[in-house]
Amino acid sequence: MVKQESESANRPDNTAFTQQRLPAWQPILSAGIVIPGFVLIGLAFIGIGVALFVTSKSIQELEFDYTGYSNESPCSSCAQSVVANCKCSLNFTLTTLLQGPVFFYYGLSNYFQNYRRYGASKDDNQLYGDLSYFTSPSSSCSPYDYDSSKKPIVPCGSIANSMFNDTFTLTWTVNGKTNNVSLDGKGIAWWTDYNVKYRNPNVTPLKNAFNGTVKPINWAKPAYELDASDPSNNGFVNQDFLVWMRRAALPNFRKLYRRIDASGDYKNGLPAGNYTVDITYNYPVRAFNGVKKIVFSNVSWMGGRNEFLGIAYLVIGSLCVVMSVVMLIVYAKFKFPDEE
Amino acid sequence: RPCPADEVFIPPKFCDNRIVSSKYTVWNFLPKNLFEQFRRIANFYFLIIFLVQVIVDTPTSPVTSGLPLFFVITVTAIKQGYEDWLRHKADNEVNKYRVTVLEDGRRIQKESEKIKVGDVLEVEEDETFPCDLILLQSSRDDGTCFVTTASLDGESNHKTHYTVPDTERDVESLNATIECEQPQPDLYKFVGRMHIYKNNEEPSLRSLGPENLLLKGATLKNTQSICGVAVYTGMETKMALNYQGKSQKRSVVEKSINAFLLVYLCILVSKALVCTTLKYVWQSKPGQDEPWYNEKTLKEKETNLYLNMFTDFLSFMVLFNFIIPVSMYVTVEMQKFLGSFFISWDKDFFDSEIEEGALVNTSDLNEELGQVEYVFTDKTGTLTQNNMEFIECCIDGHQYKYRDASSEVDGFCVTDGPVNTVQQKAGREREELFLRALCLCHTVQVKEGFIASSPDEIALVQGAMRYGFTFLGLESKTMKILNRTNDVEMYELLHVLNFDPVRRRMSVIVRSISGETLLFCKGADSSIFPRVKQEEVETIRMHVERNATDGYRTLCVAYKHLTAEEYDQVDSGLREARLALQDREEKLMAVYNQVETGMNLIGATAVEDRLQEEAAETMEALQGAGIKVWVLTGDKMETAKSTCYACRLFKRNTELLELTVRTLESPGKRREDRLHDLLLEYHKKTVQDAPPAKTRVASQDYGFIVDGATLSMVLNSSSENNLHDYKDLFLQICQNCTSVLCCRMAPLQKAQIVKMVKNSKGSPITLSIGDGANDVSMILEAHVGIGIKGKEGRQAVRNSDYAIPKLKHLKKLLLGHGHLYYVRIAHLVQYFFYKNLCFILPQFLYQFFCGCSQQPLYDAAYLTMYNICFTSMPILAYSLFEQHISLEMLLENATLYRQIGKNAMLRWGPFLYWTLLGVFHGLVFFFGVWFLFSNPALQDNGQAFGNWSYGTIVFTILVFTVTLKLALDTRHWTWINHFVIWGSLAFYVFFSFFWGGVIWPFLRQQRLYFVFANMLSSVSAWLVIIVLILLSLLPEILYVVLRKPRGPYARQKLVQSSAGGIQSPRSSARPLLMRTFSDESNTVS
């Protein structure tokens, strides 16, 4: 009896799993699959690459350096002065229409927004509108958490403190007539940043929430007065603030400043003519050899102008085709005779 | 060590009978377990990293490394805790067991743990003994009891134990002291003596041996109850002493892992050094150290520069520490543990005869099975079945061969010998003497058939039975045999002179009814012939040698009349030797040797030991796989040689080189000189004259035969007075021979040989396979020890790493399972290093673009989950289910085994390939996205992406690429592979959405909020992900495809050759190869 029991207990299960005989698909990358596959992929990639390249080429982009290192530069005087709100202007001419929608970026070089300590120097709870963090900002904001009189700074931290504060206006001169190009500052930040991630405290007027706090040291105006024209664009949900708070990945970056309001004369973009950008020059970059730029660009379905993608697709697509030819030769030489 | 009698009863000297196999108590579990876990270098390293993260301001939160470490430590602690709880439970069951103690004439129930040395216990049938007992009284009349030691050594047959003489009658009035040796683990050795005091008489002395000792753990059988006195208790019992674990064997793969780890540690440290240096170089440039937008805190300014450097270095270490993942150890352990189930589950290993399958004692060596270069096999029970069959005997030089169909009256018939008729043969008297000798000279028990420790004895007793003499059994020292005339003959068994492998013979001394005292002796020819009258030897020697050449096991039988004086002398000599506490073995041996002289040779027996099923095929397959097979046996040369021929280890064209006692005997020369000459000659033949290995010309096949005596001469030769070191020469000869046969080996010599090969140049991987206790030493010595669940008990199985029922299973174990396990784990290891290299490299490169500020590229969640969730399951599934070549193909084509020989997949070449691949992938991931981010406005609404988008794009490419790379490597897609590979990718996408879709209240920074979703809304991000994945995999695809012109072709050819019945080519130096090759070239051209 005992023996019989042990027999059934000891005998291994005869299942496909235990016997390592599960049905299996055993793909073999044979020439018959790979060569046509490579040709197809290669052709598809070349197709996409051409489309990307053409699209990228069709994107118009105007980039101007206004840092003012050289004396010819219109802003050279502002660059050397330490006066706040120094004005300078930059002229350019469009010979053809800059197809809309046109985006207005500012760019910074050699500026390390991705510095670790810099990046950590903010208080998300504060920025989420939590009043308890207004009076005691997170220690990660240090040394921008309290001012010299030990008053809490709101918004605290390096990022907020170093917010880009050059401002620009654009005028179009055509037939001797100067028109102000209206710039739209809405929707330049991520929708989720504006609606969810950043919130003003639920206090009206907003100013009261900031009682007992001070504005960041480098700011001219407190957070609740960032945009005098639009009360809803103040506090932590100010679009320029939000754009600045989304840290750039690399030390040379551009951030969206405004969109050209597509209305009236600018329905199709910026028409040909002479333009002037009036710059309020505040932001010092010369100390670290930084460069400031303004960029006008339109975008396509793939975003801004970027030739890398198109070239990458073209190169890899042709690589695939070339390789399939090489493989064909290799196979023709070594493989096919044996298969007879 | 005999202790003075007055000291014996001091109780504190002995430990109590508590068995403690558990390691921990509730109180010390946490500290002790943690201490043991952190003694492992890897865990300690991760602990250090974790502590650095806690103490120093580091880029990643301590959670990223703390969580995996905590997970690993907790899982291990739970597993070990559970195992210990089981041990506690088992211990308690044993310790709290109620036993009956006789105290002052009363029976008292006690808990087992309260037993003290000297207590007299009563044990009932089918109970296990609670401690080591000396048997005092048995309920059986003859003062014996039967026990089975199945739980100790796996031998389930009943063993007879004897009461101490004179004690069995009345235990209550017994007054005695016992002296015994210090506790020692050998189950089969025990020396002690008992002083029995009887009212004022001189105390009488009784010797105690293993036959009086009942071991803890053994079970009483067929006996109602016994009484015994406890001699060893608790942790001093033989069972507890044997409990100690075996030494750990480490596989070559593990050594490779450690070497690779070192390389990666160097990479890690140099990365951290480079970054630290760059950071300070960069900071020394004007305006970079502390730009106005990023001022330092007061504390940072005040800290010492060098301290800052040091903390920066530590921070970088922490940032890059993921390159050595804690999860690799977990995955490797899991792979080994789970993978080993496939061996025990394999139904091909199930043997219906013993109703057992394979047994895995360790899962650490699975992959080593794919690396074996030398197989050392035992002969008896391993190559052969150890299923003995009596074939023939010879009495006084006349051959008797048993035939079932023969009609001859007495069952004898004659096939040769001088005269053909019954009357003129050896004569009835001699025949009967011979058969009586067979019936009496053994240690067989009768119990539903014959039971004995050696199958030879059963075969002999059965042989005698067929000739009309039946052994009826042994009852209270009386042996009964039924003779041809159906009369029962009675013999009083006076002494058994036990068999041992050194004497190679055994004897019994019996007294017949008529008062004659006879000694019967049987043993190997070499040990019998010198001890008998020389004139009888020649006729029998002829038969013995012929039988041996036929592959039979031969034994010679001799007898001797003992006169009364002679017997008395022997009797007292034996008793005295048995009472000795010191050197008992030697003293007994001396008496044995003294009495076993001057005997009369009666005849010889031939017993066939049939080959194991498929022994020859298995050996051929192993040799085809490039494995060298050495046969190590205690058997005599002729028998072993014929077995080798039968197993096709030696072939007809194999030139045999003999280095045995026989070849050393040459007139006029010292044996040492002759040995020297022979060694040089053979060396010249096999090593110097052998064609270079590269040429495919088949050279002569050599087989080498050496015996134990010569081997010890070789090994013990002092090398000073010789030009050549014999050992070296010997080894070189052996390594150049196809097969080596070592006969007449003592167990220790077997281990010596294994050790010698193991430590030779190139340290080849060795495997020992055997079934008996004499193979244990070599099983323990070899890299991999395989036990055969044979008939010689279970000692080999207990000490082995893997146990299989039959030799034929070795083929699948090595060529099938071993090959697959090696490929799986090698791939697992390489892949793990690779995937972490290309994981961390972008993070390293990112430091160049963020001012070396230790900014992590990936979010903490990704850093933590990468190895735990996103990429761990596919490789685990791969390493469990991959069959790059199907099992059938592996078994059919033994040569495939050579492809992975010498740790082929974990050498520096493949490692470099994988490392370069990882570097290439890392560069592609990082710089591909870097180029894309030259314009961060990647959305069609003109908005720009930030640094976390950058990291997420890189991470997405990374996860997809490493998973698809594995998919490319997978040759065997079961549904599980599909599930985990596509499931992991789906999980990654799902997790990213989820993680970025919620504002997590416990997080300080909502870094990834909607980053992933925004990334997917950008066409450019999609396009760059696709193109970079393809670019990364392109070289891999190309490599696979361009290798293919040989791949499928070779595969087809292998199928052809196996289908055509052509065995795969064997070694590049074998004649068979030439034939096979030419055959193949015929089919090709």
Side-chain angles (χ1 to χ4, degrees), chain B residues 683-703:
Chain B
H683 186 259
K684 188 165 181 302
K685 232 182 205 170
T686 55
V687 183
Q688 291 160 5
D689 293 354
K694 276 176 197 157
T695 60
R696 280 186 159 185
V697 185
S699 61
Q700 175 64 40
D701 243 0
Y702 291 107

mmCIF file of all heavy atoms in Angstrom, chain B residues 683-703:
data_model
loop_
_atom_site.group_PDB
_atom_site.id
_atom_site.type_symbol
_atom_site.label_atom_id
_atom_site.label_comp_id
_atom_site.label_asym_id
_atom_site.label_seq_id
_atom_site.Cartn_x
_atom_site.Cartn_y
_atom_site.Cartn_z
ATOM 1 N N HIS B 683 55.083 8.859 -22.321
ATOM 2 C CA HIS B 683 55.006 10.312 -22.500
ATOM 3 C C HIS B 683 55.408 10.685 -23.906
ATOM 4 O O HIS B 683 54.794 11.511 -24.571
ATOM 5 C CB HIS B 683 55.908 10.997 -21.475
ATOM 6 C CG HIS B 683 55.785 12.487 -21.475
ATOM 7 N ND1 HIS B 683 56.704 13.290 -22.098
ATOM 8 C CD2 HIS B 683 54.838 13.303 -20.957
ATOM 9 C CE1 HIS B 683 56.335 14.552 -21.958
ATOM 10 N NE2 HIS B 683 55.205 14.585 -21.266
ATOM 11 N N LYS B 684 56.473 10.021 -24.376
ATOM 12 C CA LYS B 684 56.954 10.295 -25.728
ATOM 13 C C LYS B 684 55.859 9.969 -26.731
ATOM 14 O O LYS B 684 55.556 10.731 -27.642
ATOM 15 C CB LYS B 684 58.196 9.445 -25.980
ATOM 16 C CG LYS B 684 58.912 9.762 -27.271
ATOM 17 C CD LYS B 684 60.303 9.142 -27.251
ATOM 18 C CE LYS B 684 61.077 9.456 -28.525
ATOM 19 N NZ LYS B 684 60.407 9.009 -29.733
ATOM 20 N N LYS B 685 55.256 8.820 -26.523
ATOM 21 C CA LYS B 685 54.237 8.345 -27.453
ATOM 22 C C LYS B 685 53.046 9.296 -27.520
ATOM 23 O O LYS B 685 52.572 9.660 -28.585
ATOM 24 C CB LYS B 685 53.745 6.985 -26.949
ATOM 25 C CG LYS B 685 53.791 5.894 -27.996
ATOM 26 C CD LYS B 685 53.241 4.634 -27.370
ATOM 27 C CE LYS B 685 53.789 3.420 -28.073
ATOM 28 N NZ LYS B 685 53.468 2.199 -27.342
ATOM 29 N N THR B 686 52.530 9.649 -26.349
ATOM 30 C CA THR B 686 51.247 10.350 -26.330
ATOM 31 C C THR B 686 51.397 11.853 -26.424
ATOM 32 O O THR B 686 50.549 12.510 -27.014
ATOM 33 C CB THR B 686 50.488 10.036 -25.027
ATOM 34 O OG1 THR B 686 51.316 10.359 -23.932
ATOM 35 C CG2 THR B 686 50.086 8.598 -24.963
ATOM 36 N N VAL B 687 52.458 12.372 -25.840
ATOM 37 C CA VAL B 687 52.545 13.828 -25.779
ATOM 38 C C VAL B 687 53.447 14.379 -26.856
ATOM 39 O O VAL B 687 53.052 15.220 -27.661
ATOM 40 C CB VAL B 687 53.029 14.284 -24.393
ATOM 41 C CG1 VAL B 687 53.052 15.795 -24.308
ATOM 42 C CG2 VAL B 687 52.121 13.706 -23.321
ATOM 43 N N GLN B 688 54.697 13.844 -26.897
ATOM 44 C CA GLN B 688 55.656 14.464 -27.808
ATOM 45 C C GLN B 688 55.391 14.107 -29.261
ATOM 46 O O GLN B 688 55.493 14.957 -30.138
ATOM 47 C CB GLN B 688 57.081 14.049 -27.406
ATOM 48 C CG GLN B 688 57.465 14.688 -26.087
ATOM 49 C CD GLN B 688 58.606 13.976 -25.409
ATOM 50 O OE1 GLN B 688 59.188 13.040 -25.958
ATOM 51 N NE2 GLN B 688 58.924 14.404 -24.211
ATOM 52 N N ASP B 689 55.014 12.840 -29.489
ATOM 53 C CA ASP B 689 54.824 12.420 -30.878
ATOM 54 C C ASP B 689 53.434 12.730 -31.402
ATOM 55 O O ASP B 689 53.151 12.529 -32.573
ATOM 56 C CB ASP B 689 55.077 10.905 -31.009
ATOM 57 C CG ASP B 689 56.535 10.599 -30.753
ATOM 58 O OD1 ASP B 689 57.293 11.576 -30.597
ATOM 59 O OD2 ASP B 689 56.890 9.418 -30.707
ATOM 60 N N ALA B 690 52.569 13.166 -30.515
ATOM 61 C CA ALA B 690 51.199 13.424 -30.966
ATOM 62 C C ALA B 690 51.202 14.588 -31.937
ATOM 63 O O ALA B 690 51.913 15.564 -31.749
ATOM 64 C CB ALA B 690 50.322 13.755 -29.776
ATOM 65 N N PRO B 691 50.433 14.471 -33.013
ATOM 66 C CA PRO B 691 50.369 15.582 -33.963
ATOM 67 C C PRO B 691 49.743 16.781 -33.278
ATOM 68 O O PRO B 691 48.944 16.629 -32.370
ATOM 69 C CB PRO B 691 49.476 15.044 -35.077
ATOM 70 C CG PRO B 691 48.704 13.943 -34.452
ATOM 71 C CD PRO B 691 49.540 13.379 -33.369
ATOM 72 N N PRO B 692 50.119 17.961 -33.715
ATOM 73 C CA PRO B 692 49.533 19.152 -33.112
ATOM 74 C C PRO B 692 48.016 19.112 -33.194
ATOM 75 O O PRO B 692 47.456 18.607 -34.166
ATOM 76 C CB PRO B 692 50.084 20.313 -33.948
ATOM 77 C CG PRO B 692 51.145 19.749 -34.807
ATOM 78 C CD PRO B 692 51.055 18.274 -34.792
ATOM 79 N N ALA B 693 47.404 19.637 -32.180
ATOM 80 C CA ALA B 693 45.953 19.498 -32.059
ATOM 81 C C ALA B 693 45.209 20.101 -33.244
ATOM 82 O O ALA B 693 44.115 19.687 -33.572
ATOM 83 C CB ALA B 693 45.493 20.157 -30.765
ATOM 84 N N LYS B 694 45.854 21.052 -33.915
ATOM 85 C CA LYS B 694 45.123 21.756 -34.971
ATOM 86 C C LYS B 694 44.907 20.888 -36.199
ATOM 87 O O LYS B 694 43.878 20.957 -36.856
ATOM 88 C CB LYS B 694 45.881 23.027 -35.356
ATOM 89 C CG LYS B 694 45.549 24.188 -34.438
ATOM 90 C CD LYS B 694 46.385 25.394 -34.776
ATOM 91 C CE LYS B 694 46.363 26.372 -33.614
ATOM 92 N NZ LYS B 694 47.491 27.262 -33.606
ATOM 93 N N THR B 695 45.931 20.089 -36.499
ATOM 94 C CA THR B 695 45.770 19.255 -37.697
ATOM 95 C C THR B 695 44.648 18.272 -37.464
ATOM 96 O O THR B 695 44.495 17.721 -36.375
ATOM 97 C CB THR B 695 47.065 18.483 -37.991
ATOM 98 O OG1 THR B 695 47.326 17.677 -36.838
ATOM 99 C CG2 THR B 695 48.216 19.406 -38.244
ATOM 100 N N ARG B 696 43.909 18.083 -38.512
ATOM 101 C CA ARG B 696 42.736 17.241 -38.335
ATOM 102 C C ARG B 696 43.046 15.775 -38.582
ATOM 103 O O ARG B 696 42.160 14.941 -38.587
ATOM 104 C CB ARG B 696 41.632 17.694 -39.297
ATOM 105 C CG ARG B 696 40.912 18.903 -38.766
ATOM 106 C CD ARG B 696 39.772 19.220 -39.659
ATOM 107 N NE ARG B 696 38.795 20.033 -38.932
ATOM 108 C CZ ARG B 696 37.641 20.394 -39.427
ATOM 109 N NH1 ARG B 696 37.286 20.020 -40.623
ATOM 110 N NH2 ARG B 696 36.814 21.135 -38.722
ATOM 111 N N VAL B 697 44.308 15.501 -38.803
ATOM 112 C CA VAL B 697 44.677 14.118 -39.060
ATOM 113 C C VAL B 697 44.403 13.298 -37.801
ATOM 114 O O VAL B 697 44.800 13.674 -36.706
ATOM 115 C CB VAL B 697 46.170 14.038 -39.415
ATOM 116 C CG1 VAL B 697 46.538 12.615 -39.793
ATOM 117 C CG2 VAL B 697 46.496 15.012 -40.522
ATOM 118 N N ALA B 698 43.695 12.242 -37.998
ATOM 119 C CA ALA B 698 43.373 11.402 -36.860
ATOM 120 C C ALA B 698 44.637 10.725 -36.383
ATOM 121 O O ALA B 698 45.393 10.170 -37.156
ATOM 122 C CB ALA B 698 42.355 10.362 -37.264
ATOM 123 N N SER B 699 44.855 10.799 -35.094
ATOM 124 C CA SER B 699 46.039 10.144 -34.572
ATOM 125 C C SER B 699 45.610 8.867 -33.853
ATOM 126 O O SER B 699 44.430 8.579 -33.730
ATOM 127 C CB SER B 699 46.757 11.084 -33.603
ATOM 128 O OG SER B 699 45.894 11.384 -32.545
ATOM 129 N N GLN B 700 46.604 8.192 -33.360
ATOM 130 C CA GLN B 700 46.331 6.944 -32.663
ATOM 131 C C GLN B 700 45.538 7.224 -31.382
ATOM 132 O O GLN B 700 45.764 8.214 -30.709
ATOM 133 C CB GLN B 700 47.677 6.275 -32.341
ATOM 134 C CG GLN B 700 47.581 5.040 -31.513
ATOM 135 C CD GLN B 700 46.849 3.929 -32.229
ATOM 136 O OE1 GLN B 700 47.022 3.737 -33.422
ATOM 137 N NE2 GLN B 700 46.023 3.199 -31.514
ATOM 138 N N ASP B 701 44.617 6.350 -31.116
ATOM 139 C CA ASP B 701 43.832 6.421 -29.888
ATOM 140 C C ASP B 701 44.597 5.725 -28.766
ATOM 141 O O ASP B 701 45.089 4.624 -28.963
ATOM 142 C CB ASP B 701 42.545 5.623 -30.105
ATOM 143 C CG ASP B 701 41.365 6.509 -30.004
ATOM 144 O OD1 ASP B 701 41.548 7.705 -29.770
ATOM 145 O OD2 ASP B 701 40.251 5.998 -30.162
ATOM 146 N N TYR B 702 44.688 6.365 -27.632
ATOM 147 C CA TYR B 702 45.380 5.708 -26.533
ATOM 148 C C TYR B 702 44.444 5.489 -25.355
ATOM 149 O O TYR B 702 43.616 6.345 -25.050
ATOM 150 C CB TYR B 702 46.582 6.537 -26.069
ATOM 151 C CG TYR B 702 47.688 6.588 -27.072
ATOM 152 C CD1 TYR B 702 47.933 7.745 -27.792
ATOM 153 C CD2 TYR B 702 48.481 5.469 -27.305
ATOM 154 C CE1 TYR B 702 48.945 7.804 -28.726
ATOM 155 C CE2 TYR B 702 49.502 5.524 -28.248
ATOM 156 C CZ TYR B 702 49.721 6.679 -28.951
ATOM 157 O OH TYR B 702 50.727 6.722 -29.873
ATOM 158 N N GLY B 703 44.580 4.377 -24.736
ATOM 159 C CA GLY B 703 43.893 4.132 -23.478
ATOM 160 C C GLY B 703 44.954 3.870 -22.429
ATOM 161 O O GLY B 703 45.983 3.261 -22.718
#
